[in-house]
């Protein structure tokens, strides 16, 4: 499959006429061929109108048809073979083995949503049978099911060019929910986006989906993204990126005559608590695990362990020495974009010059432009609490250790944290009292709590939560990874006293879909 520099508007390939844009090679910053034609606002409008035209037909398809569509996308990604991996590698600088793994994750994510759609529980069918003889008032027949919210705009993420981008979790969950999707491609991986977009377009054709079920636009500046979020035919937004970008989209969505939800996953520093008994038992192995997690993918993970907390002790110093040793051997790695590299360097400069913050160790020096040098700093709890800037995410392989005086000090710092995607505790038996006291605070801070592990690596499964209170996300009630991500793009409809033949199959008396339903308060397939 060739990259032509085109966008995708339903079943048409369109060369945008709003100017030329290029993807850049992550390693050198050089322009990659071909030039892309940026979308015009007319293209955005056409994509939205097509999506609206497709919505009713698409959402009412049998579950099996939507599942086959998702599986055809998954197969198409595999069929792209090395062509895809080569291009993503050029554009992102991410190592090929990591990208192979990310592709499988994307494929499995699509398959998970296919099985979820087939299984039918996504309908959320609930039936309260009529109680005509109830006194003092009879009850009408009430039936609830969920339907897609409408066309969804998806903003691909820079740091997961496959799993959180054009065919990533937001797209898969929205398509599973019965919502047409319009992707605003991330400018850092335009060629990857076109390849993946064409796979979705072909899958839609091969499985006979309505034309407007998928489109993809690209931008020269933020006007295309803004127009998409502001378009009256868009019903929800999925986004992964910076806090500034996410908040700009939330503001645009709220300023519409009809406001819409924006599910933005933004910034998190993912605190890791190193409790005393765990440090006394295995400071060395925790240090090695921490450094591996810190430098993975040049630290460009939303779940990167950016903050460590521990009580002052000799065992902590043993941990610090082991971490410093492990980090000093780590090689610099190319970052995703020159801008992300620039932001990381600025963040490092702020930490180097912050009063009360000390550099513990650095990895090997950068050998070429756009490489990140890993770094590990330390401070004390009083300095941390007095400087809110130290809580800002520094996207890349840098972390800050906060040394606390005692368990109360540790808990006090924990209560001051903003919302997080994850918090992690390293504990042994002897730490359970401190851990138990922390848990109520941590539950309020984060979407996922891990024990004796590191937060990088997010399983795509039924129980996963990749979300959390602001600023981790703009809406803490949902997740952008895992099966329940579909809930973001569904809304409930109640049918009162509707004749059986006019009800959707999920709610008909004979349960023709053979799906689980809550009937008069009991879960049954009957
Ligand atoms: P970004 O700047 O937020 O951009 C993400 C997407 O949103 C891009 O497609 C961008 O388009 C669009 N966008 C941004 N601001 C917009 C606005 N005001 N109106 C309309 N569209 C807008 O994120 P990024 O480029 O991926 O990375 C920049 C920084 O984000 C990183 O340095 C890092 O701090 C953070 N980041 C965090 C995570 C995380 O998971 N926590 C992940 C990735 C990045 P344009 O670029 O064309 O404007």
């Amino acid at each position: 499959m060739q990259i032509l520099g085109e966008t995708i508007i339903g079943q048409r390939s369109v060369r945008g006429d709003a100017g030329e844009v290029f993807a850049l090679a992550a390693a050198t910053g050089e322009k990659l061929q071909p030039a892309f034609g940026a979308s015009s606002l007319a293209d955005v409008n056409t994509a939205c109108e097509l999506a609206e035209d497709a919505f009713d037909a698409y959402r009412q398809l049998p579950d099996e048809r939507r599942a086959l569509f998702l599986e055809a996308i998954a197969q198409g990604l595999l069929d792209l073979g090395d062509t895809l991996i080569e291009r993503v590698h050029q554009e992102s600088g991410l190592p090929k083995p990591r990208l192979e793994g990310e592709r499988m994750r994307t494929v499995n994510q699509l398959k998970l949503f296919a099985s979820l759609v087939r299984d039918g529980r996504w309908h959320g069918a609930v039936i309260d049978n009529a109680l005509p003889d109830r006194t003092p008032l009879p009850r009408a027949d009430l039936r609830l099911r969920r339907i897609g919210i409408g066309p969804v705009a998806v903003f691909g993420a820079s740091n997961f060019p496959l799993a959180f981008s054009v065919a990533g979790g937001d797209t898969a969950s929205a398509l599973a929910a019965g919502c047409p999707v319009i992707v605003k491609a991330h400018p850092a991986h335009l060629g990857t986006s076109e390849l993946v977009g064409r796979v979705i377009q072909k899958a839609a054709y091969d499985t006979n989906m309505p034309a407007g079920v998928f489109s993809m636009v690209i931008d020269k500046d933020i006007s295309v993204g803004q127009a998409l979020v502001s378009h009256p035919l868009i019903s929800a937004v999925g986004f992964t990126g910076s806090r500034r970008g996410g908040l700009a989209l939330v503001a645009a969505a709220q300023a519409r005559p009809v406001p819409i939800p924006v599910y933005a996953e933004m910034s998190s520093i993912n605190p890791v608590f190193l409790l005393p008994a765990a440090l006394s038992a295995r400071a060395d192995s925790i240090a090695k695990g921490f450094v591996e997690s810190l430098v993975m993918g040049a630290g460009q993970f939303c779940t990167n362990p950016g903050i460590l907390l521990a009580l002052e002790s000799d065992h902590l110093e043993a941990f610090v020495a082991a971490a410093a040793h492990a980090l000093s051997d780590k090689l610099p790695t190319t970052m995703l974009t020159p801008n992300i590299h620039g932001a990381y360097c600025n963040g490092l400069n702020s930490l180097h010059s912050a009063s009360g913050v000390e550099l513990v160790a650095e990895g090997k020096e950068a050998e070429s432009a756009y490489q990140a040098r890993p770094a590990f700093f330390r401070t004390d709890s009083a300095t941390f609490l007095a400087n809110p800037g130290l809580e800002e995410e520094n996207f890349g392989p840098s972390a800050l250790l906060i040394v606390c005086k005692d368990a109360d000090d540790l808990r006090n710092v924990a209560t001051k944290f903003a919302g997080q995607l994850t918090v992690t505790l390293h504990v042994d038996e002897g730490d359970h009292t401190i851990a138990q006291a922390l848990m109520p605070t941590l539950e309020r801070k984060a979407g996922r709590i891990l024990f004796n592990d590191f937060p990088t690596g997010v399983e795509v499964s039924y129980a996963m939560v990749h979300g959390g209170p602001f600023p981790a996300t703009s809406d803490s009630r949902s997740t952008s990874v895992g099966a329940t991500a579909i809930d973001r793009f569904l809304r409930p409809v109640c049918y009162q006293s509707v004749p059986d033949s006019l009800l959707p199959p999920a709610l008909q008396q004979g349960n023709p879909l053979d799906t689980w339903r809550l009937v008069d308060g009991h879960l049954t397939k009957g």
Side-chain angles (χ1 to χ4, degrees), residues 211-479:
V213 73
F214 176 78
S215 292
M216 187 188 81
V217 292
I218 64 180
D219 61 353
K220 198 163 188 307
D221 52 42
I222 61 167
S223 59
V224 164
Q226 289 280 329
L228 192 53
V229 174
S230 306
H231 199 286
L233 295 176
I234 292 295
S235 297
V237 179
F239 167 93
T240 303
S242 67
R243 195 187 309 183
R244 198 176 58 174
L247 288 181
L249 298 189
V250 170
Q254 291 299 314
R256 296 163 41 119
V258 179
I260 55 171
V262 175
Y263 297 102
E265 194 233 294
M266 300 176 291
S267 62
S268 180
I269 50 169
N270 306 298
V272 178
F273 294 77
L274 309 173
L275 298 191
L279 279 184
S280 125
R282 47 196 158 83
D284 202 54
S285 71
I286 297 174
K288 285 183 184 139
F290 155 63
V291 169
E292 290 308 316
S293 177
L294 177 71
V295 302
M296 190 189 287
Q300 299 164 119
F301 285 108
C302 33
T303 51
N304 194 53
I307 289 276
L308 303 180
L309 298 99
L311 308 189
E312 53 194 5
S313 74
D314 290 345
H315 297 302
L316 175 60
E317 295 314 315
F319 165 84
V320 170
H325 180 69
L327 193 69
S328 60
D329 279 345
K330 290 296 173 195
L331 298 174
T333 340
T334 299
M335 296 198 85
L336 291 159
T337 68
N339 282 349
I340 287 178
H341 176 260
Y344 176 66
C345 293
N346 289 342
L348 282 189
N349 289 340
S350 302
L351 285 163
H352 278 295
S353 60
S355 135
V357 175
E358 181 193 325
L359 177 70
V360 174
E362 286 179 295
K364 303 267 186 232
E365 227 172 300
E367 287 156 2
S368 60
Y370 314 129
Q371 283 190 332
R373 183 181 194 179
F376 180 32
F377 299 84
R378 71 187 285 169
T379 190
D380 56 69
S381 53
T383 306
F384 181 77
L385 292 176
N387 292 282
L390 294 177
E391 210 189 326
E392 297 285 311
E393 177 186 49
N394 186 22
F395 195 64
S398 112
L400 174 66
L401 167 68
I402 305 169
V403 182
C404 300
K405 286 197 262 323
D406 52 32
D408 285 343
D409 191 26
L410 189 78
R411 206 164 53 242
N412 183 39
V413 177
T415 61
K416 302 285 169 25
F417 280 131
Q420 306 291 338
L421 293 170
T422 69
V423 292
T424 301
L425 296 99
H426 282 267
V427 299
D428 257 19
E429 285 277 329
D431 295 317
H432 281 196
T433 307
I434 305 182
Q436 195 156 36
L438 278 170
M439 286 297 273
T441 303
L442 303 186
E443 285 166 344
R444 291 182 57 181
K445 296 291 173 186
R448 179 162 61 111
I449 301 172
L450 300 83
F451 271 56
N452 294 330
D453 204 338
F454 286 95
T456 38
V458 183
E459 187 69 35
V460 181
S461 66
Y462 288 89
M464 179 47 67
V465 174
H466 191 63
F470 183 86
T473 73
S474 57
D475 190 332
S476 64
R477 293 166 297 177
S478 60
T479 172

Side-chain angles (χ1 to χ4, degrees), residues 64-225:
E64 178 64 18
R65 294 273 313 279
R66 284 221 296 280
L68 289 172
F69 174 38
L70 292 168
E71 286 168 346
I73 300 170
Q75 187 57 47
L77 292 178
L78 292 172
D79 292 346
L80 275 178
D82 283 348
T83 309
L84 179 64
I85 299 300
E86 282 295 337
R87 181 71 188 200
V88 200
H89 172 64
Q90 272 188 314
E91 291 185 330
S92 68
L94 295 169
K96 290 181 186 174
R98 138 85 200 258
L99 292 171
E100 292 283 1
E102 190 180 327
R103 168 162 53 187
M104 273 326 290
R105 177 194 163 135
T106 313
V107 162
N108 289 335
Q109 194 158 252
L110 287 155
K111 289 183 175 172
L112 175 82
F113 282 108
S115 71
L116 192 76
V117 170
R118 246 186 214 114
D119 159 274
R121 269 177 294 176
W122 71 271
H123 291 285
V126 181
I127 297 173
D128 296 336
N129 281 302
L131 298 174
D133 300 327
R134 189 180 70 172
T135 55
L137 289 172
R139 181 176 82 185
D141 182 276
L142 297 168
R143 292 169 190 243
L144 176 157
R145 69 147 177 171
R146 303 188 300 171
I147 66 166
I149 193 168
V152 172
V154 169
F155 286 72
S158 57
N159 58 337
F160 278 86
L162 298 174
F164 278 78
S165 193
V166 178
D170 285 343
T171 298
S173 52
L175 289 176
C179 302
V181 167
I182 302 173
V183 169
K184 207 292 278 175
H186 196 290
H189 52 265
L190 293 174
T192 303
S193 298
E194 183 180 327
L195 288 172
V196 175
R198 285 188 189 280
V199 162
I200 303 178
Q201 186 184 47
K202 179 172 182 310
Y205 181 82
D206 291 347
T207 57
N208 206 14
M209 293 294 127
V213 73
F214 176 78
S215 292
M216 187 188 81
V217 292
I218 64 180
D219 61 353
K220 198 163 188 307
D221 52 42
I222 61 167
S223 59
V224 164

